[in-house]
mmCIF file of all heavy atoms in Angstrom:
data_model
loop_
_atom_site.group_PDB
_atom_site.id
_atom_site.type_symbol
_atom_site.label_atom_id
_atom_site.label_comp_id
_atom_site.label_asym_id
_atom_site.label_seq_id
_atom_site.Cartn_x
_atom_site.Cartn_y
_atom_site.Cartn_z
ATOM 1 N N ASP A 96 -36.140 -9.740 -20.489
ATOM 2 C CA ASP A 96 -36.842 -8.810 -21.370
ATOM 3 C C ASP A 96 -37.782 -7.969 -20.519
ATOM 4 O O ASP A 96 -38.608 -8.513 -19.785
ATOM 5 C CB ASP A 96 -37.628 -9.585 -22.434
ATOM 6 C CG ASP A 96 -38.100 -8.701 -23.559
ATOM 7 O OD1 ASP A 96 -37.249 -8.204 -24.308
ATOM 8 O OD2 ASP A 96 -39.328 -8.510 -23.687
ATOM 9 N N TYR A 97 -37.642 -6.648 -20.610
ATOM 10 C CA TYR A 97 -38.437 -5.737 -19.793
ATOM 11 C C TYR A 97 -39.777 -5.442 -20.458
ATOM 12 O O TYR A 97 -39.835 -5.176 -21.659
ATOM 13 C CB TYR A 97 -37.723 -4.395 -19.610
ATOM 14 C CG TYR A 97 -36.274 -4.472 -19.264
ATOM 15 C CD1 TYR A 97 -35.361 -3.638 -19.881
ATOM 16 C CD2 TYR A 97 -35.796 -5.360 -18.301
ATOM 17 C CE1 TYR A 97 -34.017 -3.664 -19.560
ATOM 18 C CE2 TYR A 97 -34.452 -5.407 -17.976
ATOM 19 C CZ TYR A 97 -33.569 -4.555 -18.608
ATOM 20 O OH TYR A 97 -32.239 -4.591 -18.298
ATOM 21 N N LYS A 98 -40.813 -5.414 -19.654
ATOM 22 C CA LYS A 98 -42.149 -5.067 -20.132
ATOM 23 C C LYS A 98 -42.822 -4.146 -19.127
ATOM 24 O O LYS A 98 -42.898 -4.468 -17.934
ATOM 25 C CB LYS A 98 -43.016 -6.320 -20.339
ATOM 26 C CG LYS A 98 -42.507 -7.239 -21.420
ATOM 27 C CD LYS A 98 -42.535 -6.560 -22.766
ATOM 28 C CE LYS A 98 -41.886 -7.413 -23.829
ATOM 29 N NZ LYS A 98 -41.267 -6.611 -24.871
ATOM 30 N N SER A 99 -43.296 -3.004 -19.606
ATOM 31 C CA SER A 99 -44.003 -2.083 -18.716
ATOM 32 C C SER A 99 -45.415 -2.590 -18.425
ATOM 33 O O SER A 99 -45.953 -2.343 -17.355
ATOM 34 C CB SER A 99 -44.045 -0.678 -19.311
ATOM 35 O OG SER A 99 -44.592 -0.695 -20.605
ATOM 36 N N ALA A 100 -46.002 -3.304 -19.358
ATOM 37 C CA ALA A 100 -47.355 -3.846 -19.182
ATOM 38 C C ALA A 100 -47.287 -5.199 -18.470
ATOM 39 O O ALA A 100 -46.288 -5.916 -18.568
ATOM 40 C CB ALA A 100 -48.036 -4.010 -20.531
ATOM 41 N N SER A 101 -48.364 -5.533 -17.781
ATOM 42 C CA SER A 101 -48.416 -6.844 -17.127
ATOM 43 C C SER A 101 -48.906 -7.888 -18.128
ATOM 44 O O SER A 101 -49.484 -7.560 -19.163
ATOM 45 C CB SER A 101 -49.343 -6.790 -15.909
ATOM 46 O OG SER A 101 -50.651 -6.462 -16.311
ATOM 47 N N ARG A 102 -48.633 -9.121 -17.838
ATOM 48 C CA ARG A 102 -49.057 -10.293 -18.602
ATOM 49 C C ARG A 102 -48.463 -10.410 -20.011
ATOM 50 O O ARG A 102 -49.169 -10.764 -20.955
ATOM 51 C CB ARG A 102 -50.586 -10.388 -18.676
ATOM 52 C CG ARG A 102 -51.230 -10.471 -17.321
ATOM 53 C CD ARG A 102 -50.890 -11.812 -16.664
ATOM 54 N NE ARG A 102 -50.935 -11.718 -15.215
ATOM 55 C CZ ARG A 102 -49.893 -11.941 -14.416
ATOM 56 N NH1 ARG A 102 -48.734 -12.256 -14.896
ATOM 57 N NH2 ARG A 102 -50.004 -11.852 -13.121
ATOM 58 N N PRO A 103 -47.176 -10.152 -20.186
ATOM 59 C CA PRO A 103 -46.579 -10.314 -21.515
ATOM 60 C C PRO A 103 -46.592 -11.764 -21.990
ATOM 61 O O PRO A 103 -46.559 -12.027 -23.195
ATOM 62 C CB PRO A 103 -45.146 -9.804 -21.332
ATOM 63 C CG PRO A 103 -44.876 -9.954 -19.872
ATOM 64 C CD PRO A 103 -46.202 -9.715 -19.194
ATOM 65 N N GLU A 104 -46.671 -12.700 -21.048
ATOM 66 C CA GLU A 104 -46.671 -14.118 -21.412
ATOM 67 C C GLU A 104 -47.932 -14.531 -22.166
ATOM 68 O O GLU A 104 -48.001 -15.636 -22.710
ATOM 69 C CB GLU A 104 -46.476 -14.988 -20.166
ATOM 70 C CG GLU A 104 -47.686 -15.120 -19.273
ATOM 71 C CD GLU A 104 -47.916 -13.955 -18.317
ATOM 72 O OE1 GLU A 104 -47.249 -12.910 -18.436
ATOM 73 O OE2 GLU A 104 -48.791 -14.090 -17.440
ATOM 74 N N ARG A 105 -48.910 -13.663 -22.236
ATOM 75 C CA ARG A 105 -50.145 -13.949 -22.984
ATOM 76 C C ARG A 105 -50.069 -13.496 -24.433
ATOM 77 O O ARG A 105 -51.014 -13.717 -25.193
ATOM 78 C CB ARG A 105 -51.330 -13.273 -22.298
ATOM 79 C CG ARG A 105 -51.610 -13.854 -20.937
ATOM 80 C CD ARG A 105 -52.819 -13.209 -20.302
ATOM 81 N NE ARG A 105 -53.038 -13.745 -18.966
ATOM 82 C CZ ARG A 105 -53.822 -13.197 -18.069
ATOM 83 N NH1 ARG A 105 -54.473 -12.090 -18.354
ATOM 84 N NH2 ARG A 105 -53.964 -13.740 -16.887
ATOM 85 N N ASP A 106 -48.957 -12.879 -24.823
ATOM 86 C CA ASP A 106 -48.790 -12.369 -26.190
ATOM 87 C C ASP A 106 -47.962 -13.358 -26.999
ATOM 88 O O ASP A 106 -46.754 -13.502 -26.763
ATOM 89 C CB ASP A 106 -48.096 -11.006 -26.143
ATOM 90 C CG ASP A 106 -47.985 -10.346 -27.500
ATOM 91 O OD1 ASP A 106 -47.852 -11.058 -28.519
ATOM 92 O OD2 ASP A 106 -48.007 -9.104 -27.551
ATOM 93 N N PRO A 107 -48.587 -14.052 -27.961
ATOM 94 C CA PRO A 107 -47.865 -15.069 -28.734
ATOM 95 C C PRO A 107 -46.627 -14.528 -29.455
ATOM 96 O O PRO A 107 -45.612 -15.228 -29.545
ATOM 97 C CB PRO A 107 -48.903 -15.572 -29.748
ATOM 98 C CG PRO A 107 -50.222 -15.205 -29.166
ATOM 99 C CD PRO A 107 -50.001 -13.966 -28.356
ATOM 100 N N GLU A 108 -46.681 -13.302 -29.952
ATOM 101 C CA GLU A 108 -45.520 -12.730 -30.646
ATOM 102 C C GLU A 108 -44.348 -12.527 -29.690
ATOM 103 O O GLU A 108 -43.192 -12.772 -30.050
ATOM 104 C CB GLU A 108 -45.887 -11.414 -31.321
ATOM 105 C CG GLU A 108 -46.792 -11.580 -32.516
ATOM 106 C CD GLU A 108 -47.144 -10.253 -33.177
ATOM 107 O OE1 GLU A 108 -46.362 -9.291 -33.052
ATOM 108 O OE2 GLU A 108 -48.210 -10.203 -33.803
ATOM 109 N N LEU A 109 -44.640 -12.088 -28.477
ATOM 110 C CA LEU A 109 -43.581 -11.913 -27.483
ATOM 111 C C LEU A 109 -42.975 -13.258 -27.089
ATOM 112 O O LEU A 109 -41.758 -13.362 -26.883
ATOM 113 C CB LEU A 109 -44.099 -11.183 -26.250
ATOM 114 C CG LEU A 109 -44.506 -9.725 -26.443
ATOM 115 C CD1 LEU A 109 -45.075 -9.156 -25.151
ATOM 116 C CD2 LEU A 109 -43.332 -8.894 -26.932
ATOM 117 N N LEU A 110 -43.796 -14.280 -26.989
ATOM 118 C CA LEU A 110 -43.292 -15.609 -26.653
ATOM 119 C C LEU A 110 -42.366 -16.136 -27.746
ATOM 120 O O LEU A 110 -41.299 -16.688 -27.452
ATOM 121 C CB LEU A 110 -44.447 -16.576 -26.406
ATOM 122 C CG LEU A 110 -45.289 -16.281 -25.170
ATOM 123 C CD1 LEU A 110 -46.506 -17.191 -25.127
ATOM 124 C CD2 LEU A 110 -44.455 -16.418 -23.900
ATOM 125 N N VAL A 111 -42.749 -15.950 -29.007
ATOM 126 C CA VAL A 111 -41.893 -16.367 -30.124
ATOM 127 C C VAL A 111 -40.562 -15.629 -30.054
ATOM 128 O O VAL A 111 -39.486 -16.222 -30.224
ATOM 129 C CB VAL A 111 -42.602 -16.131 -31.480
ATOM 130 C CG1 VAL A 111 -41.635 -16.259 -32.646
ATOM 131 C CG2 VAL A 111 -43.769 -17.101 -31.641
ATOM 132 N N MET A 113 -39.066 -14.350 -27.431
ATOM 133 C CA MET A 113 -38.268 -14.838 -26.312
ATOM 134 C C MET A 113 -37.651 -16.200 -26.613
ATOM 135 O O MET A 113 -36.495 -16.456 -26.252
ATOM 136 C CB MET A 113 -39.111 -14.898 -25.034
ATOM 137 C CG MET A 113 -39.446 -13.531 -24.480
ATOM 138 S SD MET A 113 -37.975 -12.612 -23.951
ATOM 139 C CE MET A 113 -37.678 -13.381 -22.372
ATOM 140 N N VAL A 132 -36.891 -14.877 -19.307
ATOM 141 C CA VAL A 132 -37.939 -14.353 -18.441
ATOM 142 C C VAL A 132 -38.313 -12.931 -18.845
ATOM 143 O O VAL A 132 -37.499 -12.178 -19.361
ATOM 144 C CB VAL A 132 -37.536 -14.360 -16.946
ATOM 145 C CG1 VAL A 132 -37.278 -15.764 -16.447
ATOM 146 C CG2 VAL A 132 -36.341 -13.482 -16.687
ATOM 147 N N PHE A 133 -39.570 -12.622 -18.603
ATOM 148 C CA PHE A 133 -40.037 -11.241 -18.684
ATOM 149 C C PHE A 133 -39.897 -10.642 -17.291
ATOM 150 O O PHE A 133 -40.237 -11.287 -16.292
ATOM 151 C CB PHE A 133 -41.516 -11.174 -19.079
ATOM 152 C CG PHE A 133 -41.816 -11.660 -20.457
ATOM 153 C CD1 PHE A 133 -42.553 -12.823 -20.649
ATOM 154 C CD2 PHE A 133 -41.397 -10.949 -21.574
ATOM 155 C CE1 PHE A 133 -42.855 -13.269 -21.925
ATOM 156 C CE2 PHE A 133 -41.698 -11.390 -22.857
ATOM 157 C CZ PHE A 133 -42.424 -12.554 -23.027
ATOM 158 N N LEU A 134 -39.415 -9.425 -17.226
ATOM 159 C CA LEU A 134 -39.423 -8.651 -15.986
ATOM 160 C C LEU A 134 -40.411 -7.515 -16.199
ATOM 161 O O LEU A 134 -40.230 -6.708 -17.115
ATOM 162 C CB LEU A 134 -38.031 -8.109 -15.677
ATOM 163 C CG LEU A 134 -36.935 -9.141 -15.453
ATOM 164 C CD1 LEU A 134 -35.598 -8.458 -15.185
ATOM 165 C CD2 LEU A 134 -37.288 -10.096 -14.327
ATOM 166 N N THR A 135 -41.444 -7.464 -15.382
ATOM 167 C CA THR A 135 -42.507 -6.485 -15.592
ATOM 168 C C THR A 135 -42.370 -5.287 -14.667
ATOM 169 O O THR A 135 -41.722 -5.361 -13.615
ATOM 170 C CB THR A 135 -43.906 -7.105 -15.379
ATOM 171 O OG1 THR A 135 -44.105 -7.320 -13.983
ATOM 172 C CG2 THR A 135 -44.075 -8.398 -16.162
ATOM 173 N N GLY A 136 -43.004 -4.215 -15.055
ATOM 174 C CA GLY A 136 -43.025 -2.995 -14.261
ATOM 175 C C GLY A 136 -43.748 -3.151 -12.938
ATOM 176 O O GLY A 136 -43.727 -2.247 -12.106
ATOM 177 N N GLN A 137 -44.355 -4.315 -12.730
ATOM 178 C CA GLN A 137 -44.994 -4.626 -11.451
ATOM 179 C C GLN A 137 -44.039 -5.414 -10.550
ATOM 180 O O GLN A 137 -44.414 -5.832 -9.457
ATOM 181 C CB GLN A 137 -46.281 -5.423 -11.677
ATOM 182 C CG GLN A 137 -47.378 -4.639 -12.391
ATOM 183 C CD GLN A 137 -47.070 -4.402 -13.870
ATOM 184 O OE1 GLN A 137 -46.574 -5.283 -14.567
ATOM 185 N NE2 GLN A 137 -47.362 -3.217 -14.347
ATOM 186 N N GLU A 139 -42.650 -8.347 -11.323
ATOM 187 C CA GLU A 139 -42.766 -9.788 -11.536
ATOM 188 C C GLU A 139 -41.645 -10.302 -12.432
ATOM 189 O O GLU A 139 -41.142 -9.594 -13.291
ATOM 190 C CB GLU A 139 -44.089 -10.129 -12.209
ATOM 191 C CG GLU A 139 -45.316 -9.737 -11.419
ATOM 192 C CD GLU A 139 -46.570 -9.863 -12.251
ATOM 193 O OE1 GLU A 139 -46.649 -9.282 -13.342
ATOM 194 O OE2 GLU A 139 -47.489 -10.570 -11.781
ATOM 195 N N MET A 140 -41.310 -11.575 -12.234
ATOM 196 C CA MET A 140 -40.391 -12.286 -13.111
ATOM 197 C C MET A 140 -41.181 -13.486 -13.624
ATOM 198 O O MET A 140 -41.551 -14.375 -12.864
ATOM 199 C CB MET A 140 -39.141 -12.757 -12.361
ATOM 200 C CG MET A 140 -38.126 -13.421 -13.242
ATOM 201 S SD MET A 140 -36.554 -13.723 -12.405
ATOM 202 C CE MET A 140 -36.924 -15.256 -11.575
ATOM 203 N N ILE A 141 -41.448 -13.467 -14.942
ATOM 204 C CA ILE A 141 -42.301 -14.495 -15.538
ATOM 205 C C ILE A 141 -41.444 -15.313 -16.494
ATOM 206 O O ILE A 141 -41.004 -14.816 -17.539
ATOM 207 C CB ILE A 141 -43.471 -13.845 -16.287
ATOM 208 C CG1 ILE A 141 -44.292 -12.979 -15.328
ATOM 209 C CG2 ILE A 141 -44.335 -14.927 -16.946
ATOM 210 C CD1 ILE A 141 -45.269 -12.044 -16.018
ATOM 211 N N VAL A 143 -40.467 -17.906 -19.315
ATOM 212 C CA VAL A 143 -41.027 -18.382 -20.577
ATOM 213 C C VAL A 143 -40.641 -19.849 -20.713
ATOM 214 O O VAL A 143 -39.459 -20.182 -20.597
ATOM 215 C CB VAL A 143 -40.477 -17.567 -21.769
ATOM 216 C CG1 VAL A 143 -40.955 -18.126 -23.081
ATOM 217 C CG2 VAL A 143 -40.872 -16.104 -21.617
#
Side-chain angles (χ1 to χ4, degrees):
D96 194 67
Y97 315 136
K98 295 297 174 211
S99 54
S101 61
R102 301 292 154 241
E104 76 279 10
R105 294 182 182 165
D106 185 328
E108 289 180 26
L109 293 177
L110 293 173
V111 167
M113 289 296 281
V132 298
F133 294 112
L134 298 179
T135 73
Q137 294 72 41
E139 299 169 306
M140 184 170 83
I141 301 166
V143 175

